[in-house]
Amino acid sequence: MAKFKRVLLKLSGESLMGEKGYGIDENRLGEYAAQIKEIADMGVQLGIVIGGGNIFRGLSGSKKGFDRVKGDQMGMLATTINALALCSALTAAGAKCKVLTAIRMEPIGEFYTKDKALELLNAGYITIFAAGTGCPYFTTDTGSSLRGIEIEADAMFKGTRVDGIYTADPEKDPSATKFDDISYDEILVRNLKVMDLSATVMCRDNGLPIVVFNMDKPGNLKRVIAGENIGTYVHP
Ligand code: UDP
């Protein structure tokens, strides 16, 4: 049984690379699509925001001499490429899926409005929100807290490649320990790099709980949706 009725799932672009150093790994995409379809079949309404770090990030572009705003626009287009890839993998897996974009680019996807998003979610479509917030200087973390709040999701699920929020980056510091739960303010005070501070503040100020979990272990998405505490639960 699902404990959540409507969730916003945030996936990083980087994790779509799988074993590759760049771009999209079809096997990883297929694994994600299978996990997502499984919970959509349980009747959970799913909005998805996907990053673009496997293709382009504005900040790294500006370090190489790109104009920051243009670089961020390239990043938003990168998230749109990933959104189309995920949508087509979901459709191939037999799920109903649509892409809404934060920047007008029909026919790639319909322009995002809250009303359109709710119409699709209520009709059983997995709805992917592409191009983040549509604005430069933001990230897909802020894009997902924004969309999660707008669609009145029960929680935001941040799928990562580690098991939850740790005292330090577990990929760099082997002595790091995991939190089973943590408050928004403790994330801010400890300056934990789980997601952008602005995204954490938005979730805190608007009461959107966050669950951070390892999306790369097949079956985990279903377990967190069922309410199992296998990741880290972020609360007031
Ligand atoms: N981006 C942006 N505004 C947004 C969302 C994303 O400008 O609202 C750009 C930004 O350049 C960012 C890139 O898109 O670096 C890719 O998104 P992100 O870094 O969040 O992807 P992830 O790290 O999750 O793969």
Side-chain angles (χ1 to χ4, degrees):
M1 269 296 287
K3 190 181 158 204
F4 301 88
K5 283 176 72 178
R6 181 183 292 158
V7 303
L8 189 292
L9 175 66
K10 159 79 207 296
L11 300 173
S12 83
E14 223 163 82
S15 54
L16 271 197
M17 288 193 298
E19 303 304 312
K20 297 184 173 180
Y22 178 82
I24 299 170
D25 174 49
E26 299 75 20
N27 294 329
R28 173 57 53 77
L29 193 63
E31 281 165 24
Y32 277 7
Q35 284 207 66
I36 294 165
K37 181 178 185 294
E38 192 176 25
I39 60 161
D41 288 345
M42 290 161 69
V44 179
Q45 293 189 5
L46 262 175
I48 301 178
V49 168
I50 185 154
N54 54 326
I55 301 172
F56 198 86
R57 282 204 180 94
L59 200 56
S60 9
S62 69
K63 286 182 192 139
K64 293 179 194 148
F66 282 84
D67 170 75
R68 174 69 193 266
V69 172
K70 294 216 170 12
D72 279 341
Q73 288 167 340
M74 291 166 71
M76 288 185 268
L77 292 175
T79 75
T80 309
I81 292 174
N82 287 335
L84 293 176
L86 183 61
C87 188
S88 91
L90 282 164
T91 307
K96 292 200 308 184
C97 180
K98 290 259 195 237
V99 173
L100 297 179
T101 64
I103 299 170
R104 281 199 183 279
M105 51 177 104
E106 294 95 344
I108 284 176
E110 236 181 279
F111 188 51
Y112 170 86
T113 62
K114 174 179 175 174
D115 288 348
K116 186 71 208 174
L118 293 186
E119 190 186 310
L120 290 172
L121 290 168
N122 287 325
Y125 282 89
I126 298 166
T127 309
I128 306 181
F129 305 120
T133 61
C135 300
Y137 296 96
F138 286 89
T139 65
T140 49
D141 281 340
T142 27
S144 47
S145 40
L146 175 65
R147 294 297 182 237
I149 293 160
E150 281 188 278
I151 64 167
E152 299 165 37
D154 299 323
M156 169 168 144
F157 283 68
K158 185 174 160 88
T160 66
R161 53 185 187 194
V162 293
D163 288 334
I165 303 178
Y166 284 75
T167 47
D169 184 347
E171 289 180 341
K172 292 184 187 137
D173 179 354
S175 69
T177 54
K178 178 178 154 280
F179 295 97
D180 288 335
D181 70 283
I182 187 169
S183 69
Y184 303 105
D185 285 336
E186 197 170 351
I187 292 180
L188 300 174
V189 169
R190 288 176 177 257
N191 198 19
L192 297 175
K193 302 278 182 277
V194 49
M195 59 183 207
D196 293 351
L197 295 183
S198 42
T200 307
V201 170
M202 274 187 77
C203 290
R204 180 194 68 185
D205 292 351
N206 295 281
L208 181 66
I210 309 164
V211 180
V212 181
F213 71 104
N214 189 339
M215 178 76 189
D216 292 355
K217 286 192 189 149
N220 267 3
L221 180 60
K222 190 175 177 187
R223 291 173 70 191
V224 285
I225 292 281
E228 251 189 84
N229 192 12
I230 52 169
T232 302
Y233 181 71
V234 186
H235 52 78

